[in-house]
Amino acid sequence: TVENPSKLFLSERKADVPGSVVLCAIEGTRPILLEVQALVGTGAYGNAQRVTSGVDRQRLSLLLTVLEKRAGLHLSGEDVFVNIPGGLLVNEPAADLAIAAAVASSMRNQPVPPQVALFGEIGLAGEVRGSNHAGLRVREAAQLGFTRCIMPSGNVGADVSGTGCEVHGVDTVGDALGALFT
């Protein structure tokens, strides 16, 4: 048996690499930290590719459109690859913020600070919507040494206090990217 799956999934993560972000996910009823990787590059063949492993490709397309329209990232001509190392399939909407941050990090060639973890659903207007089990997610991040958690403002409250992890609530995807890349 595996004592701590989060440690296992993050064991080979390279910190300070553009396009690498830690997601606070929920698998069943258990919190788990996963790496989300993204690679953005100029499309060579005229049609931009959207390739995913562990993430729904249509969800990625939606997030890329939101990033373009609501956060000003020009991704329409770029190839975008997103991967969840370890073979896990992530279906929960709370993965949106981590995916968007990984894409923005790769696009800007600027790493997300390695002690930051994220979660939150992104709506079509660019809003970051609350997610279930916020307290479990933040506690798992804090137990693994993460010092900052970017999450929906709607989840900031008593159930995430006392973890030792600085909680930063955001209302929009633009706010989240501003908090990560300032």
Side-chain angles (χ1 to χ4, degrees), residues 16 19 23 28 38 47 49-51 66 80 89 102 104 114 136 166-167:
D16 292 328
L23 163 66
N47 290 331
Q49 297 183 69
R50 305 304 191 230
V51 180
V66 170
V80 179
L89 179 61
L136 286 174
E166 175 195 335
V167 173

Side-chain angles (χ1 to χ4, degrees), residues 18-21 37-40 60 63-64 67 71-75 80 82 96-112 173 176-178 180-181:
S20 174
V21 172
Q37 297 176 332
L39 182 63
V40 178
L60 174 64
L63 292 172
L64 296 178
L67 282 170
L73 291 181
H74 303 290
L75 295 159
V80 179
V82 174
D96 291 354
L97 192 56
I99 294 167
V103 168
S105 170
S106 180
M107 176 75 178
R108 295 175 175 188
N109 200 31
Q110 186 175 359
V112 169
V173 67
L177 297 181
L180 289 170
F181 304 113

Side-chain angles (χ1 to χ4, degrees), residues 149-154 156 167-171 175 179:
C149 194
I150 309 266
M151 59 190 277
S153 290
V156 175
V167 173
H168 187 98
V170 294
D171 293 315
D175 292 345

Side-chain angles (χ1 to χ4, degrees), residues 12-145:
E12 296 184 54
R13 179 174 181 249
K14 304 287 186 232
D16 292 328
V17 174
S20 174
V21 172
V22 174
L23 163 66
C24 299
I26 296 289
E27 183 62 31
T29 58
R30 179 170 171 65
I32 186 168
L33 300 186
L34 304 168
E35 180 182 14
V36 177
Q37 297 176 332
L39 182 63
V40 178
T42 303
Y45 304 106
N47 290 331
Q49 297 183 69
R50 305 304 191 230
V51 180
T52 64
S53 177
V55 175
D56 181 67
R57 194 167 65 94
Q58 290 179 327
R59 189 67 183 181
L60 174 64
S61 292
L62 178 141
L63 292 172
L64 296 178
T65 302
V66 170
L67 282 170
E68 185 136 347
K69 294 289 257 182
R70 308 293 183 216
L73 291 181
H74 303 290
L75 295 159
S76 59
E78 304 292 328
D79 289 340
V80 179
F81 303 87
V82 174
N83 180 44
I84 306 294
L88 206 62
L89 179 61
V90 178
N91 287 326
E92 71 165 328
D96 291 354
L97 192 56
I99 294 167
V103 168
S105 170
S106 180
M107 176 75 178
R108 295 175 175 188
N109 200 31
Q110 186 175 359
V112 169
Q115 73 281 5
V116 173
L118 302 97
F119 68 91
E121 179 181 359
I122 297 175
L124 295 180
E127 77 277 15
V128 177
R129 297 170 165 262
S131 302
N132 60 358
H133 306 297
L136 286 174
R137 295 172 196 264
V138 174
R139 278 190 285 286
E140 180 74 4
Q143 286 175 1
L144 284 173

